[in-house]
Amino acid sequence: MKLASLDLGGRDGRLALVSRDLSRAVLAEGIADTLQQALDQWADAAPRLASLSDALNAGTAAGSFPFDPAQALAPLPRAWQWLDGSAFHAHGELMAKVFNITNPQPHDKPLMYQGMSHQFIAPTAPVTLPSEADGIDFEGEYAVVTDDVPMGTDAATARGLIRLVLLVNDWSLRTLARPEMLTGFGWVQAKPACSAAPIAVTPDELGEAWKDGRVHLNLLVDWNGQRFGAANGGAMGFCFGELIAHAARTRSLCAGTIVGSGTVSNENYREVGSSCIAERRGIEIVDEGAARTGFIRFGDRVRMEVKAADGTSLFGAIDQPVVQG
């Protein structure tokens, strides 16, 4: 099923089911007011939401209405926790080469940081940032939303606790990132709020594209109307189950925790393109000795979308201008 949070009052919106073709929606009245409420009682809510979804797709759901992506908030406008991994080895190895890092990411343990979670930007809302000098960059990622995850949960069990899959743009301010990394305390200023596509999908909606805890689909990134990247999520060096297990090694995770894949990247990035500007600049440094591609300017527009094999949009699109605030 496909779920959205509509901007119909309240900071968390109103939970709605959306049809597979994204043409119609229906409020989840009597089941859950918000997506977080549904996640908190998933065992009870999920079967009822699935029945309503089936009725919506069959054209028999009472009270359905046309779905307008501009009315959608992020699926979880605010979340209990946002944990972002770095699961694509191709990206990590390239960045290590660019920055002359002698101890690049190990292949036996994920990298992960805890980022800002109290706000996820709506998919068509302007992204307001303070200065172009901060090195504004986008990062296309897949993410999952968990049920309650007990401390010490292993990767196989963790995969069974994935309730939803998301498409996220993890905005980054590259000029601020390096100094913050060198402090050893991690990111604060370099990581503003993320954006999210309007639709959260249950893993079964992905069909055969959901395999081994990975999304085996291309993440399409356009910058000012030009295709920038189409990297495939199947290249994750660590699956989402492993990322969740890593996060839960010393703590429990509550229902509604969001875990990100990190920048989607493939070894043939020169052919398929990139999901962030930093990677494109890294390729230029390696190939040409210097970066040619600049970062985002105010007024630029970034669009991200993922399409199923039949061409339908799975998550809807993130399509936003970047403006000065």
Side-chain angles (χ1 to χ4, degrees), residues 266-320:
N266 296 164
E267 289 186 0
N268 61 334
Y269 36 59
R270 291 177 179 82
E271 289 76 44
V272 302
S274 299
S275 300
C276 69
I277 300 171
E279 183 171 282
R280 172 72 61 83
R281 287 168 59 87
I283 296 167
E284 292 166 352
I285 290 169
V286 170
D287 290 354
E288 305 171 36
R292 293 183 292 101
T293 303
F295 290 112
I296 286 176
R297 307 296 297 273
F298 292 133
D300 286 1
R301 179 173 288 271
V302 179
R303 178 183 174 89
M304 296 183 182
E305 190 172 20
V306 177
K307 295 186 177 181
D310 63 2
T312 58
S313 181
L314 278 169
F315 306 96
I318 304 172
D319 193 350
Q320 301 170 297

Side-chain angles (χ1 to χ4, degrees), residues 68-181:
D68 179 6
Q71 196 178 28
L73 302 170
L76 283 169
R78 50 183 178 166
W80 286 109
Q81 191 163 204
W82 159 242
L83 299 167
D84 197 15
S86 180
F88 291 88
H89 296 325
H91 178 77
E93 289 166 1
L94 174 65
M95 293 298 101
K97 185 181 297 185
V98 169
F99 291 113
N100 295 314
I101 297 173
T102 56
N103 56 336
Q105 176 182 351
H107 286 197
D108 62 343
K109 183 181 293 186
L111 294 178
M112 183 175 287
Y113 75 94
Q114 184 168 332
M116 172 180 167
S117 63
H118 67 268
Q119 178 191 11
F120 280 80
I121 304 170
T124 60
V127 177
T128 302
L129 293 168
S131 174
E132 291 177 352
D134 291 337
I136 304 168
D137 197 357
F138 49 81
E139 290 193 58
E141 304 190 16
Y142 292 110
V144 296
V145 182
T146 74
D147 204 326
D148 289 313
V149 181
M151 183 175 67
T153 297
D154 61 45
T157 304
R159 278 167 59 179
L161 296 173
I162 294 170
R163 298 295 173 243
L164 299 168
V165 185
L166 308 176
L167 172 61
V168 169
N169 184 353
D170 174 30
W171 294 99
S172 295
L173 303 177
R174 301 298 187 184
T175 304
L176 304 178
R178 184 71 172 167
E180 285 196 312
M181 287 175 66

